[in-house]
Amino acid sequence: MVDVAAAEQRIATFLAEAPYGRGLMDMAAEGARRGWHEANGGNVSYRLRAAERSEVEAVRAELDLACGLWEDLAVAVPELGSEAFLVSAAGSFMGRLDQAPARRLGIVELDESGVRFRISIGFSDGGRPTSELAGHLLIHSAQKARDREGRVLYHAHPNELIVLSKMVELTPRAVTRALWKATTECILAVPEGVGVVPCLVPGSLELARASAEQMERFRAVLWAQHGLLCAGSTWEDAFGRMDSLVKAAAVHLATRALAGEAVVPNVITDGFLRAMNEQLHLGADDAFLRSEDK
Ligand code: 13P
Ligand code: ZN
């Protein structure tokens, strides 16, 4: 007979001690301190390595825990067959994941064909994976195809990016150029640019599919009126990308607000961005480095 409280405690300790679990909780807490996670705003996921999946199996065996029942995924992700993901629970407050990791986080595993999932450990009070699970999985699929070591997805609601999405033409080119021209660091954080999806229903398949399409090319995608989703090889990488983009958006908006109708006297020019691209070998898309679309 499984002692439920003891099992929950063991899973909480396991998640808090696993480097990927600790990293996730620290990043979410830091994001919440910065105001990027009102209420349950935002969600996270991490694709486990094979050795990490074995550690999860060992904990389940130790606790004699069965997996949840197989459930159909809303999307098919054959490239992710047999993979496992640590994900935040729907409705969980990102700043408080570490107060109840076994409830507010869980690991889901996919079947061999990538069409069904089941809960492996976590979500211990009957919780469910984030409402954006389909989007996370489609994006993981796109990210894995582009960068096999890209394992982290981080979604947050920073004010600056939501406001930016109200003020700038909603194309990757316009958004990327606004951000690149705000600070010298921005093009370093996202040399490939930033993807954009229009205002779509949170948790919808439409948002999931549109995001995954953008993430085939970009490692950050702006969700109009909603927030930002960033990919990374590590938590620091994903968090750092979010942070750099939030800063660039804040500088862009502050400059615009101060300048009003006046011309901004000192700007980052296209020529300067091209020089950065050349000297630092950033591989930025040339079309984004010119004022006229070609
Ligand atoms: P979840 O609580 O379901 O993860 O939703 C939060 C969110 O930000 C949806 O976009
Ligand atoms: Zn959201």
Side-chain angles (χ1 to χ4, degrees):
M1 178 73 182
V2 181
D3 176 338
V4 176
E8 188 172 315
Q9 186 52 50
R10 175 71 183 97
I11 292 168
T13 307
F14 171 71
L15 291 175
E17 285 176 354
Y20 59 91
R22 181 79 265 152
L24 180 156
M25 287 185 254
D26 289 349
M27 177 185 72
E30 178 61 26
R33 276 193 288 277
R34 293 176 190 225
W36 300 350
H37 296 298
E38 82 290 352
N40 66 308
N43 35 62
V44 277
S45 63
Y46 170 82
R47 181 166 59 88
L48 274 70
R49 295 186 162 82
E52 293 163 342
R53 293 204 299 265
S54 306
E55 288 163 10
V56 176
E57 301 291 322
V59 171
R60 265 220 331 271
E62 175 195 322
L63 296 172
D64 199 19
L65 279 182
C67 285
L69 297 175
W70 287 111
E71 300 177 49
D72 288 339
L73 284 167
V75 289
V77 278
E79 302 77 6
L80 300 179
S82 304
E83 298 262 15
F85 299 84
L86 175 64
V87 292
S88 51
S92 56
F93 281 32
M94 295 287 279
R96 298 188 184 182
L97 297 179
D98 54 358
Q99 288 175 21
R103 295 176 183 205
R104 295 177 184 154
L105 293 171
I107 292 177
V108 296
E109 56 183 47
L110 272 49
D111 67 358
E112 272 179 23
S113 331
V115 295
R116 293 186 306 163
F117 78 100
R118 64 181 178 182
I119 294 172
S120 174
I121 58 170
F123 303 127
S124 60
D125 60 351
R128 301 284 302 160
T130 169
S131 59
E132 307 282 10
L133 180 66
H136 277 257
L137 292 178
L138 283 175
I139 295 167
H140 273 294
S141 186
Q143 195 189 6
K144 187 178 168 190
R146 191 169 32 72
D147 167 13
R148 297 197 71 77
E149 275 313 296
R151 295 176 179 277
V152 171
L153 295 182
Y154 178 36
H155 165 52
H157 296 174
N159 292 356
E160 294 84 346
L161 286 152
I162 299 169
V163 177
L164 185 81
S165 78
K166 297 173 189 285
M167 302 297 290
V168 175
E169 186 196 345
L170 289 174
T171 62
R173 187 168 184 281
V175 168
T176 298
R177 283 175 57 79
L179 292 168
W180 279 358
K181 283 171 167 264
T183 70
T184 54
E185 294 307 293
C186 190
I187 192 171
L188 298 173
V190 284
E192 68 283 1
V194 175
V196 178
V197 300
C199 184
L200 294 171
V201 175
S204 65
L205 280 184
E206 207 184 352
L207 175 59
R209 292 207 169 96
S211 305
E213 197 187 313
Q214 293 291 296
M215 293 297 272
E216 281 171 14
R217 175 173 174 200
F218 304 109
R219 286 175 297 172
V221 60
L222 179 66
W223 290 359
Q225 315 288 350
H226 183 154
L228 187 76
L229 188 144
C230 287
S233 47
T234 62
W235 299 113
E236 286 77 10
D237 187 36
F239 187 90
R241 188 158 296 112
M242 177 86 62
D243 203 10
S244 299
L245 293 174
V246 169
K247 176 135 198 159
V251 170
H252 172 90
L253 295 169
T255 308
R256 253 174 110 154
L258 282 171
E261 298 297 307
V263 173
V264 177
N266 305 312
V267 295
I268 293 180
T269 62
D270 288 352
F272 181 80
L273 288 177
R274 285 198 292 274
M276 275 191 76
N277 186 38
E278 245 175 68
Q279 288 176 35
L280 302 177
H281 312 291
L282 300 179
D285 185 339
D286 196 57
F288 286 178
L289 292 166
R290 305 190 181 271
S291 59
E292 288 308 313
D293 211 351
K294 294 202 168 170

